[in-house]
Amino acid sequence: MEKNKIKLEEEKKLLEEELKSLGKFDKETGDWEAMPESEINKQEVSDDGDMAERAEDYEERSSKLSALESRLEDINNALSKIEIGNYGVCEVCGGKIEEERIEVNPSARTCEADMNKVI
Ligand SMILES: [Zn+2]
């Protein structure tokens, strides 16, 4: 259990660093926002191709950011379960999550059989 907590906290730290490199945390919404390309907002862009390319970068950052964000949510979720003492319990059937599964994925929210039932 303690081992898993350490693993989760380490992964959380890494994720937060990655998030910081891609965007910034909006304290008002509680969400991570992709760093806007300041040129796009402040300047008239004459070259459409360049503009599209940069917009794509922003899209890419946004989607990467939300993927990281949902992983971070899973980790926070798992950490708070450790706090309240129901870590390792499947969110769908209430059964115990397999040891091997927790080993591979300490932030797993369900048992093997229910892994596709949670979005
Ligand atoms: Zn289950």
Side-chain angles (χ1 to χ4, degrees):
M1 189 73 83
E2 197 56 33
K3 191 179 65 184
N4 287 327
K5 192 177 175 188
I6 292 164
K7 254 190 187 170
L8 286 162
E9 272 163 358
E10 272 170 9
E11 199 180 346
K12 183 176 172 176
K13 220 180 286 170
L14 287 175
L15 274 174
E16 280 174 344
E17 268 164 35
E18 243 182 295
L19 280 163
K20 275 179 205 153
S21 74
L22 292 167
K24 59 177 195 292
F25 188 69
D26 188 329
K27 286 198 183 85
E28 276 174 35
T29 61
D31 276 326
W32 284 86
E33 302 283 343
M35 209 102 70
E37 217 74 64
S38 50
E39 297 89 356
I40 289 181
N41 298 326
K42 288 178 188 157
Q43 288 178 11
E44 294 267 335
V45 180
S46 50
D47 185 339
D48 288 344
D50 194 31
M51 168 88 182
E53 208 172 279
R54 279 192 256 166
E56 220 167 81
D57 285 349
Y58 180 77
E59 285 291 302
E60 220 177 273
R61 272 205 307 281
S62 284
S63 67
K64 203 172 167 201
L65 205 69
S66 52
L68 290 171
E69 205 181 345
S70 68
R71 258 173 72 199
L72 185 63
E73 256 169 49
D74 281 349
I75 287 168
N76 283 330
N77 188 279
L79 283 169
S80 65
K81 280 182 186 169
I82 291 176
E83 289 299 314
I84 59 174
N86 68 350
Y87 179 70
V89 176
C90 171
E91 287 182 15
V92 176
C93 69
K96 201 170 177 294
I97 302 177
E98 295 83 354
E99 289 287 338
E100 313 86 66
R101 184 159 155 73
I102 289 276
E103 193 70 38
V104 179
N105 178 14
S107 61
R109 296 167 59 187
T110 66
C111 68
E112 198 88 53
D114 296 323
M115 65 187 289
N116 295 318
K117 292 185 190 162
V118 163
I119 301 161

